[in-house]
Amino acid sequence: MSKLKLGLQMWSIHDVFVNQGFEKALQEMSKMGYEGLEFALGGSATLSDRCGYPVDPKELKKMMEAYGVEPLGSHIAFGEFMKNPEVVLQECLDLGLKYAAVGPAFEGDRTPHGDQIEKYKQITEGARVFKENGIQFQVHCAVYGYLHDYKGRPTYQGMIEEAGIDLIQPEFDTAWMICSGNDPIELLKKYRGHVDILHFKDYHPVPYDTEYILVRHNEVCDHHRGCAVGDNGVQDVASIVAAAEECGTKWVLTELWNEENSLENARISAENIKKYL
């Protein structure tokens, strides 16, 4: 039996969290077999801001324990962290999170070199603050993370190298690994032992391809009409799960798009991934 655990990223059923509340979302997650939850704050500083209703993180942690769902990590808004570091960090601590992730620091070489260097410094200092408080920092490798920095590195790689792998881990997303022209298995091997969380997101093949990453990204987004993980998408779930386990990954997470039928796609995704766990 696999040692990998199955989790869900909050955005996958964002509509349920916002419109029906955390208890309903946790009930549904638990029924589907999801063992952990990664929060997603977007541009908000706190879950209360994100959801539009009061959320007490300590009470939420108790509720999650009651449903057998582990509070795993959070996609924080780094801009909000820079403005209100105590507020953002404290919510992560109150929830008992092990991880905190941010997106790519900037949009590759479209950002002036001086700004790139400053962003790397800010991210490194932020990662150090979280590490000192027992939380592992991560870069969620969205497609912009594969654009190159002033040294010719993918931005996600630059973030890791400037801070050090002990301060920043990669949190890869299978959809954007594939969209960016990378082999998920090869990237897992490259960062063996440092990819604690792997996001599974999928998309149906698109009719138009190009060498330029952002055009591919836009084509994927423009043609997206809903796709559960493993539902005739672009990836071999079985081989990626096997590689993740072999490379020391701890959690595989479903991350869906802004789906109209979010619960059904979350259920199908769980079933398709659990076949290989």
Side-chain angles (χ1 to χ4, degrees):
M1 186 175 179
S2 172
K3 295 180 181 179
L4 288 168
K5 293 184 177 182
L6 177 64
L8 185 72
Q9 208 255 20
M10 179 180 170
W11 184 256
S12 302
I13 56 170
H14 180 74
D15 56 328
V16 181
F17 282 103
V18 170
N19 298 325
Q20 301 182 59
F22 272 89
E23 185 156 19
K24 172 64 174 177
L26 292 170
Q27 287 174 348
E28 295 293 342
M29 285 180 60
S30 183
K31 285 192 297 187
M32 295 177 200
Y34 286 109
E35 303 169 89
L37 173 64
E38 182 180 56
F39 300 99
L41 296 181
S44 302
T46 65
L47 285 170
S48 295
D49 294 339
R50 182 60 166 164
C51 294
Y53 55 79
V55 178
D56 182 325
K58 292 182 179 179
E59 290 302 313
L60 175 55
K61 182 182 178 185
K62 292 178 184 178
M63 186 190 298
M64 294 179 71
E65 290 172 356
Y67 283 101
V69 176
E70 182 176 336
L72 182 58
S74 182
H75 282 196
I76 66 168
F78 193 74
E80 290 299 320
F81 172 74
M82 293 296 294
K83 290 188 286 186
N84 299 293
E86 297 86 1
V87 171
V88 175
L89 176 61
Q90 191 60 52
E91 181 166 87
C92 291
L93 293 172
D94 288 344
L95 288 165
L97 303 183
K98 297 178 181 177
Y99 302 93
V102 294
F106 48 84
E107 295 186 1
D109 55 11
R110 301 195 294 178
T111 304
H113 293 180
D115 292 349
Q116 293 184 31
I117 293 167
E118 181 60 29
K119 283 288 185 183
Y120 280 146
K121 289 179 181 178
Q122 291 174 355
I123 292 286
T124 298
E125 289 307 308
R128 185 171 289 112
V129 169
F130 276 87
K131 192 77 169 185
E132 288 170 352
N133 283 274
I135 298 174
Q136 176 64 57
F137 211 66
Q138 299 172 318
V139 49
H140 179 240
C141 301
V143 76
Y144 293 97
Y146 296 94
L147 301 180
H148 290 177
D149 69 4
Y150 72 104
K151 290 186 177 180
R153 303 170 295 191
T155 302
Y156 82 83
Q157 181 181 327
M159 292 170 69
I160 293 168
E161 291 181 355
E162 294 297 319
I165 194 70
D166 59 324
L167 284 187
I168 299 183
Q169 286 185 350
E171 186 187 49
F172 289 115
D173 173 312
T174 56
W176 300 133
M177 293 161 99
I178 294 167
C179 178
S180 66
N182 285 278
D183 181 341
I185 294 172
E186 290 306 311
L187 282 183
L188 286 168
K189 289 179 179 177
K190 178 178 178 179
Y191 289 100
R192 181 188 302 271
H194 297 289
V195 186
D196 287 1
I197 298 174
L198 175 66
H199 280 208
F200 270 93
K201 183 158 73 233
D202 213 345
Y203 60 92
H204 296 135
V206 296
Y208 178 74
D209 195 15
T210 174
E211 293 184 3
Y212 189 45
I213 292 174
L214 290 187
V215 174
R216 287 203 300 272
H217 167 268
N218 293 344
E219 284 296 311
V220 169
C221 293
D222 288 348
H223 287 88
H224 178 69
R225 296 294 182 272
C227 184
V229 176
D231 184 21
N232 299 310
V234 295
Q235 57 197 285
D236 181 344
V237 176
S239 63
I240 299 173
V241 168
E245 181 163 26
E246 195 273 328
C247 292
T249 297
K250 299 175 182 177
W251 286 86
V252 290
L253 268 60
T254 295
E255 182 187 3
L256 300 174
W257 309 72
N258 189 14
E259 306 283 8
E260 290 183 6
N261 199 355
S262 64
L263 286 176
E264 179 65 7
N265 278 335
R267 182 189 64 78
I268 294 170
S269 297
E271 290 179 355
N272 286 341
I273 296 172
K274 283 190 292 184
K275 292 175 186 175
Y276 310 106
L277 297 181

